[in-house]
Amino acid sequence: AFSALCTHAPCTVQYGGGSAISCPCHGATFSPSDGGVLGGPAPSALPEYGVQIVGGNLFVTSARVN
């Protein structure tokens, strides 16, 4: 799971199932596979968090993976 906040400014990114996660505020784009910056003013990748499915429930860790 990736943080929903752009690393350029605290704006919520959006993913519509395409080839990029995008920030509607300043146009940064991120890879949906690794959160890496694809373009725009973002200085770094989206923070990544671990996920786990337990008993049909999805849990996201509070510790960053990257």
Side-chain angles (χ1 to χ4, degrees), residues 4-65:
L5 292 179
C6 181
T7 56
H8 171 250
C11 190
T12 303
V13 297
Q14 301 171 350
Y15 180 62
S19 61
I21 298 168
S22 60
C23 177
C25 296
H26 299 105
T29 54
F30 303 89
S31 168
S33 63
D34 65 5
V37 177
L38 297 175
S44 59
L46 294 172
E48 183 177 357
Y49 298 90
V51 295
Q52 184 177 21
I53 298 175
V54 177
N57 296 305
L58 177 69
F59 294 92
V60 179
T61 65
S62 60
R64 285 181 60 169
V65 173

